Amino acid sequence: MHAEELAAAAGAVAARIEGAPVVGVHADASLETVVAVVGGLMAGVPLVPIAPDSGPMEAEHIKRDSAIDIVLNTSQYPVDVAARRDFTPSRPLEASRTAMVLYTSGTTGLPKGVVLSASAIAADLDLLAEAWGWTPGDVLAHGLPLFHVHGLVLGVIGALRVGSPLVHTGRPDPDAYATSVQQLGATMLFGVPTVWSRVAGSASAAKSLSSARLLVSGSAGLPVPVFDKLLAACGQGPLERYGMTETLITLSGRWREPRRPGWVGRCLPGVASRVVDDDGAELPHDGESVGELEVITPTIMDRYLNLPEATADCFTEDGWFRTGDVASIDGDGWHRIVGRRSVDLIKSGGYRIGAGEVESALLAHPSVKEAAVVGEADPDLGQVVVAYVVADTGVGPGELSDFVAGLLSVHKRPRRVEMRDELPRNAMGKVQKARLGAQ
Ligand code: MLC
Ligand code: AMP
């Protein structure tokens, strides 16, 4: 679809929803999703993308929490990509307006809505375009989901802001990435580390990417062996960048500068970072000292929706955002992410998954008495969701995994469920997660 056609199709959506306080979008990997999102941005209506496979527990929470009446791209509110309408907003749009509310998992409870302004998104995209030398001459390709920062904000709105054509491959498969370069002229490709690992595992797909200008990796740490394997197979390793739903992308390598595998990059212009110890004291930039990474950035969220206390908790008194990631910074300002402060936030295939949310879903099963969920290292997904469960006899791992997949997004399901007679607990009765795997 050409830009003018997209603007006109989105104009029809914008005319329909203008004035609505908020709209949801059933964000499957389709042109309809793109048209709905652009329509929302044109009308200045906050958008709430909803994962297409989110089960009732998750979807109902999102709709209730963000007070959505309308979900576009559903049978009730279909999006017609063939519609055409000129649209000018009846009032000028303010840069500080809410553009999106993106739901992301915390350590406990249901996902939190991250309120992002149009100005934060625009600022981030402009900084990234500069860092990556991203121009209208590029053709971007990826196959990432359209309900998170990576695939939607960077991968769709980014392409539109820069003016570069976008090829969405449906799913992020190695062969589809190869085709996007070889047949559709993609010059720039986005992927999470699992995608780059799978590409590196296919010699022919990897070789096909050698003519691309830039491969970009993010959403989780890129293992150095994956970088090395791609470098050997196609002559370049991915440029890495780091961010969060709450902060958008804050650290990145620069396209003209040498890559440093294992390091996620330097601050984007206007971003400040520091690592602090448990008492909040700043640690030296020696590349060795590790502490919690904190940032101040023009790309920061406005707040968590309906959660003033959680919002306040993630900022220090002097205004730094606590990322929850453990990192070190070297003398040149490069950052290395070494882990997370909480074991209860899992990154699997680049998806952020809260242990508490999966535990609650398991406990909703009538046979489950106790459940503890952890992320365990995995060569393909980085971490996999593993559940340790105490349950009545007769219920098995497969049924419990499917049960979670039915209540939450499918990617949150435990890939392994271990049945136990009891869970290790401390004197306070709290499950000792570190001892689970050892039993
Ligand atoms: C399997 N399936 C089931 C199922 N088991 N369906 C129902 N019930 C079950 N029990 C189906 C799924 O629906 C899906 O179908 C297929 O099996 C595979 O599902 P999967 O588990 O998702 O596949 P997998 O190979 O594990 O996925 C790997 C992946 C994925 C890399 C493709 O993890 C992914 O897309 N990751 C991207 C995450 C991302 O974009 N994160 C960005 C966050 S923003 P079908 O039909 O769909 O194939 C962020 C900020 C930043 O972090 O820094 O970027
Ligand atoms: P999300 O809210 O899904 O955007 O997840 C944000 C989290 O992803 C961060 O707090 C990090 O833990 C992780 N993350 C994102 N990019 C990187 C990266 N390049 N290296 C390591 N971790 C990353």
Side-chain angles (χ1 to χ4, degrees), residues 68-439:
I68 293 171
D69 284 329
I70 294 174
V71 182
L72 296 170
N73 192 24
T74 52
S75 53
Q76 219 184 343
Y77 298 99
V79 171
D80 179 5
V81 298
R84 299 288 180 263
R85 176 151 178 181
D86 274 340
F87 175 81
T88 313
S90 42
R91 264 183 278 157
L93 301 179
E94 305 213 352
S96 61
R97 72 187 183 277
T98 298
M100 290 198 174
V101 181
L102 294 184
Y103 277 81
T104 190
S105 298
T107 51
T108 56
L110 290 159
K112 298 193 281 261
V114 173
V115 177
L116 293 167
S117 66
S119 58
I121 291 175
D124 206 43
L125 296 174
D126 292 350
L127 291 171
L128 292 175
E130 181 65 29
W132 299 345
W134 188 2
T135 70
D138 278 305
V139 175
L140 174 65
H142 70 86
L144 297 168
L146 300 187
F147 44 87
H148 282 312
V149 165
H150 200 160
L152 182 62
V153 176
L154 275 51
V156 173
I157 305 174
L160 291 167
R161 185 160 177 92
V162 170
S164 67
L166 167 66
V167 176
H168 194 278
T169 61
R171 286 192 57 90
D173 299 323
D175 289 343
Y177 274 37
T179 305
S180 74
V181 174
Q182 292 298 312
Q183 292 177 23
L184 302 166
T187 60
M188 191 168 147
L189 293 101
F190 289 171
V192 295
T194 300
V195 171
W196 294 126
S197 168
R198 291 178 184 182
V199 169
S202 160
S204 62
K207 198 157 175 278
S208 302
L209 304 193
S210 37
S211 61
R213 184 181 70 79
L214 191 68
L215 315 179
V216 184
S217 182
S219 304
L222 182 71
V224 174
V226 173
F227 179 97
D228 289 342
K229 216 168 157 186
L230 267 177
L231 180 62
C234 76
Q236 61 176 321
L239 176 150
E240 197 162 355
R241 92 299 179 285
Y242 159 92
M244 296 181 75
T245 309
E246 290 88 336
T247 62
L248 300 177
I249 309 306
T250 48
L251 309 174
S252 180
R254 307 296 194 269
W255 72 292
R256 285 186 198 277
E257 296 175 11
R259 313 268 189 272
R260 279 182 67 183
W263 296 75
V264 298
R266 295 184 288 117
C267 285
L268 292 170
V271 175
S273 69
R274 65 181 190 185
V275 284
V276 297
D277 65 16
D278 286 345
D279 299 324
E282 184 168 357
L283 294 167
H285 290 197
D286 56 10
E288 298 289 336
S289 308
V290 294
E292 182 170 5
L293 176 67
E294 297 180 344
V295 296
I296 291 184
T297 173
T299 61
I300 193 79
M301 67 170 177
D302 287 344
R303 62 186 188 281
Y304 290 120
L305 189 66
N306 306 326
L307 295 169
E309 279 177 24
T311 307
D313 282 351
C314 59
F315 289 94
T316 65
E317 274 174 16
D318 50 350
W320 292 79
F321 177 84
R322 305 179 218 265
T323 64
D325 289 308
V326 179
S328 69
I329 307 177
D330 79 359
D332 295 323
W334 278 78
H335 297 65
R336 191 164 52 98
I337 308 292
V338 298
R340 277 203 68 86
R341 285 197 72 174
S342 171
V343 294
D344 288 330
L345 265 195
I346 300 164
K347 266 269 158 166
S348 183
Y351 283 117
R352 177 164 146 187
I353 300 167
E357 189 184 0
V358 182
E359 287 160 2
S360 301
L362 284 163
L363 288 168
H365 190 288
S367 301
V368 172
K369 297 188 175 119
E370 295 174 55
V373 167
V374 292
E376 291 185 2
D378 181 76
D380 179 44
L381 294 170
Q383 286 187 301
V384 280
V385 177
V386 179
Y388 295 85
V389 173
V390 180
D392 298 333
T393 48
V395 60
E399 179 183 340
L400 292 178
S401 178
D402 287 346
F403 183 74
V404 175
L407 284 180
L408 306 174
S409 295
V410 169
H411 65 259
K412 294 181 179 173
R413 72 193 184 278
R415 305 283 172 132
R416 212 174 79 231
V417 179
E418 295 207 7
M419 312 306 289
R420 292 288 162 89
D421 293 333
E422 59 180 15
L423 300 180
R425 292 183 185 270
N426 65 15
M428 309 290 290
K430 193 171 181 302
V431 176
Q432 293 172 298
K433 292 201 169 180
R435 287 181 51 206
L436 281 167
Q439 284 201 323

